[in-house]
Coordinates of all heavy atoms in Angstrom, one line a residue:
M24 N 0.8 -1.2 0.0 CA 0.0 0.0 0.0 C 0.9 1.3 0.0 O 1.9 1.3 0.7 CB -0.9 0.0 1.2 CG -2.3 -0.6 1.0 SD -3.4 -0.3 2.3 CE -2.9 -1.6 3.5
P25 N 0.4 2.3 -0.7 CA 1.2 3.5 -0.7 C 1.2 4.2 0.6 O 0.3 4.0 1.4 CB 0.5 4.4 -1.8 CG -0.8 3.8 -1.9 CD -0.8 2.4 -1.5
R26 N 2.3 4.9 0.9 CA 2.3 5.6 2.2 C 2.1 7.1 2.0 O 2.5 7.7 1.0 CB 3.7 5.4 2.8 CG 3.9 3.9 3.3 CD 5.2 3.8 4.0 NE 6.3 4.1 3.2 CZ 7.6 4.1 3.6 NH1 7.8 3.9 4.9 NH2 8.5 4.3 2.8
Y27 N 1.5 7.7 2.9 CA 1.2 9.1 2.8 C 1.6 9.8 4.1 O 1.6 9.2 5.2 CB -0.3 9.3 2.7 CG -0.9 8.6 1.4 CD1 -1.4 7.4 1.5 CD2 -0.9 9.3 0.2 CE1 -1.9 6.7 0.4 CE2 -1.4 8.7 -0.9 CZ -1.9 7.4 -0.8 OH -2.4 6.8 -1.9
V28 N 2.0 11.0 3.9 CA 2.4 11.8 5.1 C 1.3 12.8 5.4 O 0.8 13.5 4.5 CB 3.7 12.6 4.9 CG1 4.0 13.5 6.0 CG2 4.8 11.5 4.7
Y29 N 0.9 12.9 6.6 CA -0.1 13.8 7.0 C 0.4 14.8 8.0 O 1.3 14.4 8.8 CB -1.3 13.1 7.6 CG -2.2 12.4 6.6 CD1 -1.9 11.2 6.2 CD2 -3.3 13.1 6.2 CE1 -2.7 10.5 5.3 CE2 -4.2 12.4 5.2 CZ -3.9 11.1 4.8 OH -4.7 10.5 4.0
K30 N -0.2 16.0 8.1 CA 0.2 16.9 9.2 C -1.1 17.2 9.9 O -2.2 17.4 9.3 CB 0.8 18.2 8.6 CG 1.3 19.0 9.7 CD 1.5 20.5 9.3 CE 1.9 21.3 10.5 NZ 2.0 22.7 10.2
C31 N -1.0 17.1 11.2 CA -2.2 17.4 12.0 C -2.2 18.9 12.3 O -1.2 19.4 12.8 CB -2.1 16.6 13.3 SG -3.4 17.1 14.5
I32 N -3.3 19.5 12.1 CA -3.4 21.0 12.3 C -3.4 21.2 13.8 O -3.0 22.3 14.3 CB -4.7 21.5 11.7 CG1 -4.9 21.1 10.2 CG2 -4.8 23.0 11.8 CD1 -4.5 22.0 9.2
E33 N -4.0 20.3 14.5 CA -4.2 20.5 16.0 C -2.9 20.5 16.7 O -2.5 21.4 17.4 CB -5.1 19.5 16.6 CG -6.6 19.6 16.1 CD -7.3 20.8 16.8 OE1 -7.0 21.1 18.0 OE2 -8.1 21.5 16.1
C34 N -2.2 19.3 16.6 CA -0.9 19.2 17.4 C 0.3 19.4 16.5 O 1.4 19.3 17.0 CB -0.9 17.8 18.1 SG -0.7 16.4 16.9
K35 N 0.1 19.7 15.3 CA 1.2 20.0 14.4 C 2.3 18.9 14.2 O 3.4 19.1 13.9 CB 1.9 21.3 14.8 CG 1.0 22.5 14.8 CD 1.7 23.8 14.9 CE 0.8 25.0 14.7 NZ -0.3 25.1 15.6
E36 N 1.8 17.7 14.4 CA 2.7 16.5 14.2 C 2.6 16.0 12.8 O 1.5 16.1 12.2 CB 2.3 15.4 15.2 CG 2.6 15.6 16.6 CD 4.1 15.5 16.9 OE1 4.8 15.0 16.0 OE2 4.4 15.8 18.0
Y37 N 3.7 15.5 12.3 CA 3.7 14.9 11.0 C 3.6 13.4 11.3 O 4.3 12.9 12.2 CB 4.9 15.2 10.2 CG 5.0 16.6 9.7 CD1 5.5 17.6 10.5 CD2 4.5 16.9 8.4 CE1 5.5 18.9 10.0 CE2 4.6 18.2 7.9 CZ 5.1 19.2 8.7 OH 5.1 20.5 8.2
F38 N 2.9 12.7 10.5 CA 2.9 11.2 10.6 C 2.7 10.6 9.3 O 2.1 11.1 8.4 CB 2.0 10.7 11.7 CG 0.6 11.1 11.5 CD1 -0.3 10.2 10.9 CD2 0.1 12.3 11.9 CE1 -1.6 10.5 10.7 CE2 -1.3 12.6 11.7 CZ -2.1 11.7 11.1
E39 N 3.1 9.3 9.2 CA 3.0 8.6 8.0 C 2.1 7.5 8.1 O 2.2 6.7 9.1 CB 4.4 8.1 7.6 CG 4.6 7.7 6.1 CD 6.0 7.3 5.8 OE1 6.4 6.3 6.4 OE2 6.7 8.0 5.1
V40 N 1.2 7.3 7.2 CA 0.3 6.2 7.2 C 0.2 5.5 5.9 O 0.5 6.2 4.9 CB -1.2 6.6 7.6 CG1 -1.3 6.9 9.1 CG2 -1.6 7.7 6.8
S41 N 0.0 4.2 5.9 CA -0.2 3.6 4.6 C -1.7 3.2 4.5 O -2.3 2.6 5.4 CB 0.7 2.4 4.4 OG 0.9 1.7 5.6
H42 N -2.3 3.5 3.3 CA -3.7 3.1 3.1 C -3.9 3.1 1.6 O -3.0 3.5 0.8 CB -4.6 4.0 3.8 CG -4.5 5.5 3.4 ND1 -4.7 6.0 2.2 CD2 -4.2 6.6 4.2 CE1 -4.5 7.3 2.2 NE2 -4.2 7.7 3.4
G43 N -5.0 2.6 1.2 CA -5.3 2.5 -0.3 C -5.4 3.9 -0.9 O -5.6 4.9 -0.3
I44 N -5.2 3.9 -2.2 CA -5.2 5.1 -3.0 C -6.5 5.9 -2.8 O -6.5 7.1 -2.8 CB -5.0 4.9 -4.5 CG1 -3.8 3.9 -4.7 CG2 -4.8 6.2 -5.3 CD1 -3.7 3.5 -6.2
F45 N -7.6 5.1 -2.7 CA -8.9 5.8 -2.6 C -9.4 6.0 -1.2 O -10.5 6.5 -1.0 CB -9.9 5.0 -3.4 CG -9.6 4.8 -4.8 CD1 -9.1 3.6 -5.3 CD2 -9.6 5.9 -5.7 CE1 -8.8 3.4 -6.6 CE2 -9.2 5.8 -7.0 CZ -8.8 4.5 -7.5
E46 N -8.5 5.7 -0.3 CA -8.9 5.9 1.1 C -8.2 7.2 1.6 O -7.3 7.8 1.0 CB -8.4 4.8 2.0 CG -9.3 3.5 1.7 CD -8.6 2.3 2.3 OE1 -8.0 2.4 3.4 OE2 -8.6 1.2 1.7
E47 N -8.6 7.6 2.8 CA -8.0 8.8 3.4 C -7.9 8.6 4.9 O -8.8 8.1 5.5 CB -8.8 10.0 3.1 CG -7.9 11.2 2.8 CD -8.8 12.4 2.4 OE1 -9.4 13.0 3.2 OE2 -8.8 12.6 1.1
Q48 N -6.8 9.0 5.5 CA -6.6 9.0 6.9 C -7.6 10.0 7.5 O -7.7 11.1 7.1 CB -5.2 9.3 7.3 CG -4.9 9.3 8.8 CD -4.9 7.9 9.4 OE1 -5.0 6.9 8.7 NE2 -4.9 7.9 10.7
E49 N -8.3 9.6 8.5 CA -9.4 10.5 9.0 C -9.0 11.2 10.4 O -9.5 12.2 10.7 CB -10.7 9.8 9.2 CG -11.3 9.7 7.8 CD -12.7 9.0 7.9 OE1 -13.0 8.4 8.9 OE2 -13.4 9.1 6.9
S50 N -8.1 10.5 11.1 CA -7.8 11.2 12.4 C -6.3 11.1 12.7 O -5.6 10.2 12.3 CB -8.7 10.6 13.5 OG -8.3 9.2 13.6
C51 N -5.9 12.0 13.5 CA -4.5 12.1 13.9 C -4.1 10.9 14.8 O -4.9 10.6 15.7 CB -4.3 13.4 14.6 SG -2.7 13.6 15.4
G52 N -3.0 10.3 14.6 CA -2.5 9.3 15.4 C -2.1 9.7 16.8 O -1.9 8.9 17.7
F53 N -1.9 11.0 17.0 CA -1.4 11.5 18.2 C -2.6 12.1 19.1 O -2.7 11.7 20.2 CB -0.4 12.7 18.0 CG 0.9 12.2 17.3 CD1 1.0 12.2 16.0 CD2 1.9 11.7 18.1 CE1 2.2 11.8 15.3 CE2 3.1 11.2 17.5 CZ 3.2 11.3 16.1
C54 N -3.4 12.9 18.5 CA -4.4 13.6 19.3 C -5.8 13.3 18.8 O -6.8 13.7 19.4 CB -4.2 15.1 19.3 SG -4.5 15.9 17.7
H55 N -5.9 12.4 17.8 CA -7.2 12.0 17.3 C -8.0 13.1 16.7 O -9.2 13.0 16.5 CB -8.0 11.2 18.3 CG -7.2 10.0 18.8 ND1 -6.9 8.9 18.1 CD2 -6.6 9.8 20.0 CE1 -6.2 8.1 18.8 NE2 -5.9 8.6 20.0
S56 N -7.4 14.2 16.4 CA -8.1 15.3 15.7 C -8.4 14.9 14.3 O -7.7 14.0 13.7 CB -7.2 16.5 15.7 OG -7.7 17.5 14.8
T57 N -9.4 15.4 13.7 CA -9.7 15.1 12.4 C -9.3 16.2 11.4 O -9.6 16.1 10.2 CB -11.2 14.8 12.2 OG1 -12.0 15.9 12.7 CG2 -11.6 13.5 12.9
K58 N -8.6 17.2 12.0 CA -8.1 18.2 11.1 C -6.7 17.9 10.6 O -5.7 18.2 11.1 CB -8.1 19.5 11.9 CG -9.4 20.1 12.3 CD -9.3 21.3 13.1 CE -10.6 21.8 13.6 NZ -10.5 22.7 14.7
L59 N -6.7 17.2 9.5 CA -5.5 16.8 8.9 C -5.3 17.4 7.5 O -6.2 17.6 6.8 CB -5.5 15.2 8.8 CG -5.7 14.4 10.0 CD1 -5.7 12.9 9.7 CD2 -4.6 14.7 11.1
T60 N -4.0 17.6 7.2 CA -3.7 17.9 5.8 C -2.8 16.9 5.3 O -1.9 16.5 6.0 CB -3.1 19.3 5.7 OG1 -2.0 19.4 6.6 CG2 -4.1 20.4 5.9
R61 N -3.0 16.5 4.1 CA -2.0 15.6 3.5 C -0.9 16.3 2.9 O -1.0 17.3 2.2 CB -2.7 14.8 2.4 CG -1.9 13.5 2.0 CD -2.8 12.4 1.7 NE -3.0 12.4 0.2 CZ -3.8 11.6 -0.4 NH1 -4.7 10.8 0.3 NH2 -3.9 11.6 -1.7
V62 N 0.3 15.9 3.3 CA 1.5 16.5 2.8 C 2.0 15.9 1.5 O 2.2 14.7 1.5 CB 2.7 16.4 3.9 CG1 3.9 17.1 3.4 CG2 2.2 17.0 5.2
P63 N 2.0 16.7 0.4 CA 2.4 16.1 -0.8 C 3.8 15.6 -0.8 O 4.7 16.3 -0.3 CB 2.2 17.2 -1.8 CG 1.7 18.4 -1.1 CD 1.8 18.1 0.4
Q64 N 4.0 14.4 -1.3 CA 5.4 13.8 -1.2 C 6.1 14.0 -2.5 O 6.6 13.1 -3.1 CB 5.3 12.3 -0.9 CG 4.9 12.1 0.6 CD 4.8 10.7 0.9 OE1 3.9 10.0 0.5 NE2 5.8 10.2 1.6
M65 N 6.2 15.3 -2.8 CA 7.0 15.6 -4.0 C 8.0 16.7 -3.6 O 7.7 17.9 -3.7 CB 6.1 16.1 -5.1 CG 5.4 15.0 -5.8 SD 4.3 15.6 -7.0 CE 2.9 16.2 -6.0
P66 N 9.1 16.3 -3.0 CA 10.1 17.3 -2.4 C 10.5 18.4 -3.4 O 10.9 19.4 -2.9 CB 11.3 16.4 -2.1 CG 10.8 15.0 -2.2 CD 9.6 15.0 -3.1
H67 N 10.4 18.1 -4.7 CA 10.9 19.1 -5.6 C 9.8 20.2 -5.9 O 10.1 21.2 -6.5 CB 11.5 18.5 -6.9 CG 12.6 17.5 -6.5 ND1 13.8 17.9 -6.0 CD2 12.6 16.2 -6.6 CE1 14.5 16.9 -5.8 NE2 13.9 15.8 -6.2
I68 N 8.6 19.8 -5.7 CA 7.5 20.7 -6.0 C 6.9 21.1 -4.7 O 5.9 20.6 -4.3 CB 6.5 20.1 -6.9 CG1 7.2 19.5 -8.1 CG2 5.5 21.1 -7.4 CD1 6.3 18.6 -9.0
R69 N 7.4 22.1 -4.0 CA 6.9 22.5 -2.7 C 6.5 23.9 -2.7 O 6.5 24.5 -1.6 CB 7.9 22.1 -1.7 CG 8.1 20.6 -1.5 CD 8.9 20.3 -0.3 NE 8.0 20.3 0.9 CZ 7.6 19.2 1.5 NH1 7.9 18.1 1.1 NH2 6.8 19.3 2.6
R70 N 6.1 24.5 -3.8 CA 5.8 25.9 -3.9 C 4.6 26.2 -2.9 O 4.7 27.1 -2.2 CB 5.4 26.2 -5.3 CG 5.9 27.6 -5.7 CD 5.8 27.8 -7.2 NE 6.5 26.8 -8.0 CZ 6.2 26.5 -9.2 NH1 5.2 26.9 -9.8 NH2 7.0 25.6 -9.9
E71 N 3.6 25.3 -3.0 CA 2.4 25.6 -2.2 C 2.8 25.6 -0.7 O 2.3 26.4 0.1 CB 1.4 24.5 -2.5 CG 0.1 24.8 -1.9 CD -0.7 23.5 -1.6 OE1 -0.5 23.0 -0.5 OE2 -1.5 23.1 -2.4
V72 N 3.6 24.7 -0.3 CA 4.0 24.5 1.1 C 4.8 25.7 1.5 O 4.5 26.3 2.6 CB 4.8 23.2 1.3 CG1 5.2 23.2 2.8 CG2 3.9 22.0 1.0
S73 N 5.8 26.1 0.7 CA 6.7 27.1 1.2 C 6.1 28.5 1.1 O 6.6 29.5 1.7 CB 8.0 27.1 0.4 OG 7.7 27.2 -1.0
S74 N 5.0 28.7 0.4 CA 4.3 30.0 0.3 C 3.6 30.3 1.6 O 3.2 31.4 1.9 CB 3.4 30.1 -0.9 OG 2.3 29.2 -0.7
R75 N 3.3 29.3 2.4 CA 2.6 29.5 3.7 C 3.6 29.5 4.8 O 4.2 28.4 5.1 CB 1.6 28.4 3.9 CG 0.5 28.4 2.9 CD -0.5 27.5 3.4 NE -1.6 27.3 2.4 CZ -2.7 26.6 2.7 NH1 -2.9 26.1 3.9 NH2 -3.6 26.4 1.8
G76 N 3.8 30.6 5.4 CA 4.9 30.8 6.4 C 5.1 29.6 7.3 O 6.2 29.0 7.3
D77 N 4.1 29.2 8.1 CA 4.3 28.3 9.2 C 4.4 26.8 8.7 O 4.7 26.0 9.4 CB 3.2 28.4 10.2 CG 1.9 27.8 9.7 OD1 1.5 28.1 8.5 OD2 1.2 27.0 10.4
K78 N 4.2 26.6 7.4 CA 4.2 25.3 6.9 C 5.5 24.9 6.3 O 5.6 23.8 5.7 CB 3.0 25.1 5.9 CG 1.7 24.9 6.6 CD 0.7 24.4 5.6 CE -0.2 23.4 6.2 NZ -0.9 22.6 5.2
V79 N 6.5 25.7 6.4 CA 7.7 25.4 5.7 C 8.4 24.1 6.2 O 9.3 23.6 5.6 CB 8.7 26.6 5.8 CG1 10.0 26.4 5.1 CG2 8.1 27.8 5.2
G80 N 7.9 23.7 7.4 CA 8.0 22.3 7.8 C 9.3 21.6 7.8 O 10.4 22.2 7.7
S81 N 9.2 20.3 7.9 CA 10.3 19.4 8.2 C 11.4 19.4 7.2 O 12.6 19.3 7.5 CB 9.8 18.0 8.4 OG 9.1 17.6 7.3
E82 N 11.0 19.6 5.9 CA 12.0 19.5 4.8 C 13.0 20.6 5.0 O 14.2 20.3 5.1 CB 11.3 19.7 3.5 CG 12.0 19.2 2.3 CD 12.1 17.7 2.3 OE1 11.2 17.0 2.9 OE2 13.0 17.1 1.8
V83 N 12.6 21.8 5.2 CA 13.4 22.9 5.4 C 14.2 22.8 6.7 O 15.4 23.0 6.8 CB 12.6 24.3 5.4 CG1 13.5 25.4 5.8 CG2 12.0 24.5 4.1
R84 N 13.5 22.4 7.8 CA 14.1 22.3 9.0 C 15.3 21.2 9.0 O 16.3 21.4 9.5 CB 13.1 21.8 10.1 CG 13.4 22.4 11.5 CD 12.3 22.1 12.4 NE 11.0 22.7 12.0 CZ 9.8 22.2 12.3 NH1 9.7 21.2 13.1 NH2 8.8 22.9 11.9
R85 N 15.0 20.2 8.2 CA 16.1 19.1 8.1 C 17.3 19.7 7.4 O 18.4 19.5 7.8 CB 15.5 17.9 7.3 CG 16.3 16.7 7.6 CD 16.0 15.6 6.6 NE 14.6 15.3 6.5 CZ 14.0 14.9 5.4 NH1 14.6 14.7 4.3 NH2 12.7 14.7 5.4
A86 N 17.0 20.5 6.3 CA 18.1 21.1 5.6 C 18.9 22.0 6.5 O 20.1 22.0 6.5 CB 17.6 22.0 4.4
I87 N 18.2 22.8 7.3 CA 18.9 23.7 8.3 C 19.7 22.9 9.3 O 20.8 23.2 9.6 CB 17.8 24.6 9.0 CG1 17.2 25.6 8.0 CG2 18.5 25.3 10.2 CD1 16.0 26.3 8.6
E88 N 19.1 21.8 9.7 CA 19.8 20.9 10.7 C 21.1 20.4 10.1 O 22.1 20.4 10.7 CB 18.8 19.8 11.0 CG 18.8 19.4 12.5 CD 18.2 20.5 13.4 OE1 17.0 20.7 13.3 OE2 18.9 21.2 14.1
E89 N 20.9 20.0 8.8 CA 22.1 19.4 8.2 C 23.2 20.5 8.0 O 24.4 20.2 8.2 CB 21.7 18.8 6.8 CG 21.2 17.4 6.9 CD 20.6 17.0 5.6 OE1 20.8 17.6 4.5 OE2 19.9 15.9 5.6
N90 N 22.7 21.6 7.6 CA 23.7 22.7 7.5 C 24.4 23.0 8.8 O 25.6 23.2 8.8 CB 22.9 24.0 7.1 CG 23.2 24.4 5.7 OD1 24.3 24.0 5.1 ND2 22.3 25.1 5.0
R91 N 23.6 23.0 9.9 CA 24.2 23.3 11.2 C 25.2 22.2 11.5 O 26.3 22.5 12.0 CB 23.1 23.3 12.2 CG 23.6 24.1 13.5 CD 22.4 24.1 14.5 NE 21.3 24.9 14.0 CZ 20.1 24.8 14.4 NH1 19.8 23.9 15.3 NH2 19.1 25.5 13.9
A92 N 24.9 21.0 11.2 CA 25.8 19.8 11.5 C 27.1 20.0 10.7 O 28.2 19.9 11.3 CB 25.2 18.5 11.1
L93 N 27.0 20.5 9.5 CA 28.1 20.7 8.7 C 29.0 21.8 9.3 O 30.2 21.7 9.4 CB 27.7 21.1 7.2 CG 27.4 20.0 6.3 CD1 26.9 20.5 5.0 CD2 28.6 19.0 6.1
L94 N 28.3 22.9 9.7 CA 29.0 24.0 10.3 C 29.8 23.6 11.6 O 30.9 23.9 11.8 CB 28.1 25.1 10.6 CG 27.7 26.0 9.5 CD1 26.7 27.1 9.9 CD2 28.9 26.8 8.9
D95 N 29.1 22.7 12.3 CA 29.7 22.2 13.6 C 31.0 21.5 13.2 O 32.0 21.6 13.9 CB 28.7 21.3 14.3 CG 27.7 22.2 15.1 OD1 27.9 23.4 15.2 OD2 26.8 21.6 15.7
E96 N 30.8 20.6 12.2 CA 32.0 19.9 11.8 C 33.1 20.8 11.4 O 34.3 20.6 11.8 CB 31.6 19.0 10.5 CG 30.9 17.7 10.9 CD 31.7 16.8 11.8 OE1 32.8 16.4 11.3 OE2 31.3 16.5 12.9
E97 N 32.8 21.8 10.6 CA 33.8 22.8 10.2 C 34.5 23.4 11.4 O 35.7 23.5 11.5 CB 33.1 23.9 9.3 CG 32.9 23.4 7.9 CD 34.2 23.0 7.2 OE1 35.1 23.9 7.1 OE2 34.3 21.9 6.7
K98 N 33.6 23.8 12.4 CA 34.1 24.5 13.6 C 35.1 23.6 14.3 O 36.2 24.0 14.7 CB 33.0 24.9 14.5 CG 32.7 26.4 14.5 CD 31.6 26.7 15.5 CE 30.3 27.0 14.7 NZ 29.2 27.1 15.6
K99 N 34.6 22.3 14.4 CA 35.5 21.3 15.1 C 36.8 21.2 14.5 O 37.9 21.2 15.1 CB 34.7 20.0 15.1 CG 34.3 19.5 16.5 CD 33.6 18.2 16.5 CE 32.1 18.3 16.5 NZ 31.4 17.1 16.1
K100 N 36.8 21.1 13.1 CA 38.0 20.9 12.4 C 38.9 22.1 12.6 O 40.1 22.0 12.8 CB 37.7 20.9 10.9 CG 37.7 19.4 10.4 CD 37.4 19.4 8.9 CE 36.3 18.5 8.6 NZ 35.6 18.7 7.3
R101 N 38.3 23.3 12.6 CA 39.1 24.5 12.8 C 39.8 24.5 14.2 O 40.9 24.9 14.3 CB 38.2 25.8 12.6 CG 38.8 26.7 11.6 CD 37.8 27.8 11.3 NE 36.8 27.3 10.3 CZ 35.7 27.9 10.1 NH1 35.3 29.0 10.8 NH2 34.8 27.5 9.2
V102 N 39.0 24.1 15.2 CA 39.5 24.1 16.5 C 40.6 23.1 16.6 O 41.7 23.4 17.2 CB 38.4 23.7 17.5 CG1 39.0 23.4 18.9 CG2 37.4 24.9 17.6
E103 N 40.4 22.0 16.0 CA 41.5 21.0 16.1 C 42.7 21.5 15.4 O 43.8 21.3 15.9 CB 41.0 19.7 15.3 CG 40.2 18.7 16.2 CD 39.5 17.7 15.4 OE1 39.8 17.5 14.3 OE2 38.5 17.2 16.0
Y104 N 42.5 22.2 14.3 CA 43.6 22.7 13.6 C 44.4 23.7 14.4 O 45.6 23.7 14.5 CB 43.1 23.4 12.3 CG 44.1 24.0 11.4 CD1 45.0 23.2 10.7 CD2 44.3 25.4 11.3 CE1 46.0 23.8 9.9 CE2 45.2 26.0 10.5 CZ 46.1 25.1 9.8 OH 47.1 25.7 9.0
K105 N 43.6 24.6 15.1 CA 44.2 25.6 15.9 C 45.0 25.0 17.1 O 46.1 25.3 17.3 CB 43.1 26.5 16.5 CG 43.5 28.0 16.4 CD 42.5 28.8 17.2 CE 41.2 29.1 16.5 NZ 40.2 29.7 17.3
D106 N 44.4 24.0 17.7 CA 45.0 23.3 18.8 C 46.3 22.6 18.3 O 47.3 22.6 19.0 CB 44.1 22.2 19.4 CG 43.0 22.9 20.2 OD1 43.1 24.1 20.4 OD2 42.1 22.2 20.6
G107 N 46.2 22.1 17.1 CA 47.4 21.4 16.6 C 48.6 22.3 16.4 O 49.7 21.9 16.5
N108 N 48.2 23.5 16.1 CA 49.4 24.5 16.0 C 49.8 25.0 17.3 O 49.9 26.1 17.5 CB 48.9 25.6 15.0 CG 49.2 25.2 13.6 OD1 50.0 24.3 13.3 ND2 48.4 25.8 12.7
Ligands
ZN229 ZN1 -2.8 15.7 16.3

């Protein structure tokens, strides 16, 4: 069965469910709210998502996180370099 990602409007959690193409998840797995939005799983076409401020979501956050990790690595390297001298 295909998997879908939903976002709960109430608790703002993302979760993944698998169900048939013609079915739809009706309630949040966390708070059982029925206010769900399906998150389109097309990472390259996210215009709709990014145009809404608060929905810039996990994709962007992950990118930022990765960037930060890279920066940390860089910093560490620099510190090691300095110490080495
Ligand atoms: Zn919820």
Side-chain angles (χ1 to χ4, degrees):
M24 268 194 275
R26 291 186 298 174
Y27 302 93
V28 175
Y29 284 86
K30 187 196 178 187
C31 173
I32 311 263
E33 291 288 326
C34 69
K35 302 193 169 60
E36 289 285 351
Y37 288 88
F38 59 96
E39 197 178 66
V40 285
S41 39
H42 57 63
I44 313 173
F45 302 109
E46 291 165 38
E47 216 174 80
Q48 178 73 9
E49 282 182 346
S50 63
C51 170
F53 293 93
C54 68
H55 304 289
S56 164
T57 52
K58 291 178 188 163
L59 303 178
T60 49
R61 197 145 95 187
V62 180
Q64 288 182 286
M65 286 176 281
H67 301 296
I68 310 167
R69 292 192 81 103
R70 219 170 296 155
E71 192 206 85
V72 176
S73 55
S74 65
R75 296 192 187 188
D77 73 314
K78 284 193 136 193
V79 180
S81 57
E82 203 67 28
V83 173
R84 211 171 299 151
R85 201 192 309 150
I87 293 171
E88 221 69 71
E89 272 168 17
N90 251 335
R91 199 179 296 154
L93 278 177
L94 279 177
D95 280 353
E96 279 298 301
E97 281 300 302
K98 252 184 256 167
K99 247 180 265 166
K100 262 182 232 160
R101 230 170 283 162
V102 169
E103 274 164 21
Y104 181 71
K105 225 190 280 170
D106 286 351
N108 272 337

